[in-house]
């Protein structure tokens, strides 16, 4: 038993440090720069040319691809380039499936990239993990907690893994738990804690050892507004103290309140990147107009409303009798917008309307819509290919040329009369429960 334990322990260490295999990682995957945003292209050029030296985190063409049965190759992260400096909070935004968690797993060494590299304090995340782990803390999207342990026991376990001196560990963990407002839950098992308090505990564990870079993957999910604001204040204090935060979130309000720069990911790549005000000026400059139609099923009225607006008004959404338009500020004035809407209201084509300035939420939704459209296009192409395969010919003409058998779906067979008067005695088996006899037709 002792010999087996020792052998498997050695085998585990060899596998952990990649002794048996060390596949080479290419510098980048094939990438098209035709539709790349100018800010994303500028940052990519800075990273590849190494013009800035003050970044503590550098991503250079970081990519990850998976092999699936349906698409054969799924590109989850597509050639990301980014640099983070000290005391900066970077917001990584995107819908589910955009590649945020996959990026975090690669940055923490949990997942090996398919191409590119990442550096933390000039240490490679994949070749120098022991040096890198001194500088990072990670709060995963799903709580990595033990239901039987208490918050104090979790913090003691983490502090000893991080190398905190045992003489000061009790004072240190109590200070962290007090900072995250968990003092009243010190000796309560984690299974009895609410989801918000579990997220606080995961954040506290990520901050053990005072890491220079903290990766927080949706830390406020499941929290009430009060707890969310409290955690925002904790993150602000960390940034003021010089720590760098990489925050993955779905909430543009959260990113606007905390982040110095924001990157929106769509289908594994950055569609835009920059400060909050910069993104508002570039992509959110204009107005959002919502109108409620009086008669949603009257095509003449709808056509009149469409023709009443100039071509600069872009129809973004339509739900039954509610239409949402967007227009840039340079093409129209507020006076013209209200004049047109009041005229429609006076003619009783609409019942009410609202006009508002574009926000980061509108910018986010517009970029996310591109991802959904691409997914729908991919699904439609695959469904058409599947239908073409299902419509293939099962049998050609019979010996007398009487029938042609084609399959219009998986479990249906259609017979078409071609020519000939003589009947055949052949049978066609469509499935075990159905047999067609041509002589009886």
């Amino acid at each position: 038993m002792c010999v087996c334990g020792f052998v498997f322990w050695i085998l585990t260490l060899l596998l952990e440090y990649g002794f048996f295999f060390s596949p080479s990682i290419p510098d980048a995957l094939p990438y098209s720069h035709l539709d790349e945003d100018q800010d994303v292209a500028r940052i990519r050029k800075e990273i590849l040319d190494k013009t800035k030296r003050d970044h503590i985190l550098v991503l250079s063409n970081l990519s990850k691809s998976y092999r699936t049965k349906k698409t054969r190759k799924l590109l989850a992260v597509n050639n990301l380039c980014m640099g983070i400096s000290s005391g900066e909070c970077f917001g990584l935004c995107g819908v589910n499936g955009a590649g945020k968690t996959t990026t975090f797993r690669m940055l923490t060494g949990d997942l090996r990239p398919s191409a590119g590299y990442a550096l933390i304090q000039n240490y490679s995340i994949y070749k120098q993990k022991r040096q890198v782990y001194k500088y990072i803390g990670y709060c995963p999207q799903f709580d990595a907690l033990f239901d039987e342990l208490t918050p104090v026991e979790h913090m003691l376990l983490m502090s000893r893994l991080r190398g905190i001196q045992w003489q000061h560990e009790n004072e240190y963990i109590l200070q962290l738990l007090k900072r995250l407002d968990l003092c009243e839950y010190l000796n309560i098992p984690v299974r009895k804690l609410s989801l918000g308090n579990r997220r606080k505990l995961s954040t506290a564990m990520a901050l053990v050892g005072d890491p220079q870079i903290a990766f927080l993957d949706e830390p406020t999910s499941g929290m009430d507004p009060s707890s969310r604001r409290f955690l925002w204040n904790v993150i602000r204090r960390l940034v003021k103290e010089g720590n760098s935060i990489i925050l993955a979130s779905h909430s543009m309000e959260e990113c606007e309140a905390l982040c110095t720069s924001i990157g929106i990911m769509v289908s594994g790549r950055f569609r835009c990147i920059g400060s909050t005000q910069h993104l508002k000026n570039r992509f959110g400059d204009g107005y959002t107009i919502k109108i409620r139609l009086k008669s949603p099923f009257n095509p003449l009225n709808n056509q009149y409303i469409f023709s009443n607006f100039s071509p600069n008004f872009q129809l973004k959404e339509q739900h039954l009798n509610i239409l949402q338009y967007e227009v840039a500020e340079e093409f129209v004035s507020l006076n013209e917008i209200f004049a047109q809407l009041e005229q429609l209201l006076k003619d009783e084509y609409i019942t009410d309307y609202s006009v508002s300035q574009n926000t980061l939420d509108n910018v986010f939704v517009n970029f996310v819509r591109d991802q959904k459209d691409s997914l729908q296009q991919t699904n439609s192409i695959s469904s058409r290919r599947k239908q073409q395969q299902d419509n293939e010919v099962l049998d050609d003409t019979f010996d007398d040329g009487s029938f042609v058998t084609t399959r219009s779906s998986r479990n249906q067979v259609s017979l078409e009369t071609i020519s000939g008067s003589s009947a055949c005695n052949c049978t066609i088996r469509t499935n075990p429960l159905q047999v067609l006899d041509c002589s009886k037709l």
Side-chain angles (χ1 to χ4, degrees), residues 63 73 87 107 114 143 208 238 290 302 326 331 335 340 349 361 374 378 408:
S63 306
K73 187 175 182 181
L107 292 178
S114 302
D143 298 318
V208 173
L238 290 172
K290 291 184 180 181
N302 296 348
E326 287 187 9
F331 296 124
N335 186 21
Q340 294 176 358
Y349 287 105
D361 287 329
S374 63
T378 303
S408 58

Side-chain angles (χ1 to χ4, degrees), residues 179-212:
R179 190 172 191 176
L180 272 298
D181 196 22
L182 292 173
C183 291
E184 55 182 306
Y185 309 104
L186 295 181
N187 299 312
I188 298 178
V190 166
R191 66 175 180 273
K192 297 183 180 180
L193 297 181
S194 63
L195 179 59
N197 288 325
R198 291 166 67 96
R199 297 303 293 165
K200 286 183 182 179
L201 179 58
S202 297
T203 305
M205 294 173 64
L207 300 180
V208 173
D210 193 22
Q212 292 189 10

Side-chain angles (χ1 to χ4, degrees), residues 255-324:
C255 291
E256 189 173 358
L258 298 176
C259 301
T260 55
S261 59
I262 298 173
I264 297 180
M265 287 187 68
V266 176
S267 301
R269 64 192 185 101
F270 283 130
R271 291 302 304 272
C272 65
I273 192 170
S275 64
T276 302
Q277 192 60 43
H278 176 71
L279 296 182
K280 282 184 178 181
N281 294 335
R282 279 205 61 197
F283 304 101
D285 184 22
Y287 305 101
T288 298
I289 304 167
K290 291 184 180 181
I291 60 177
R292 189 187 303 273
L293 304 178
K294 186 175 183 179
S295 178
F297 303 106
N298 191 338
L300 295 178
N301 293 345
N302 296 348
Q303 185 177 3
Y304 175 78
I305 293 173
F306 295 152
S307 62
N308 192 50
F309 290 115
S310 65
N312 297 322
F313 286 77
Q314 297 181 2
L315 181 63
K316 292 296 184 179
E317 293 182 10
Q318 180 176 2
H319 303 287
L320 292 179
N321 62 331
I322 298 178
L323 305 178
Q324 179 175 326

Side-chain angles (χ1 to χ4, degrees), residues 2 91 102 124 144 162 188 290 306 373 411 424:
C2 296
T102 303
S124 174
R162 299 286 291 186
I188 298 178
K290 291 184 180 181
F306 295 152
D373 293 341
N411 298 320
C424 64

Side-chain angles (χ1 to χ4, degrees), residues 127-176:
K127 299 179 181 179
Q128 300 167 301
K129 289 185 178 180
R130 298 186 64 180
Q131 289 82 0
V132 167
Y133 288 160
K134 300 176 183 178
Y135 299 100
I136 66 173
Y138 180 37
C139 172
Q141 182 180 6
F142 304 102
D143 298 318
L145 304 175
F146 301 97
D147 291 339
E148 295 79 10
L149 299 184
T150 64
V152 171
E153 292 169 340
H154 276 93
M155 296 296 287
L156 282 173
L157 174 62
M158 184 57 65
S159 63
R160 291 176 183 178
L161 290 175
R162 299 286 291 186
I164 305 297
Q165 295 183 359
W166 64 270
Q167 298 93 336
H168 309 289
E169 63 182 11
N170 290 331
E171 180 182 357
Y172 181 78
I173 64 173
L174 288 176
Q175 183 180 1
L176 265 180

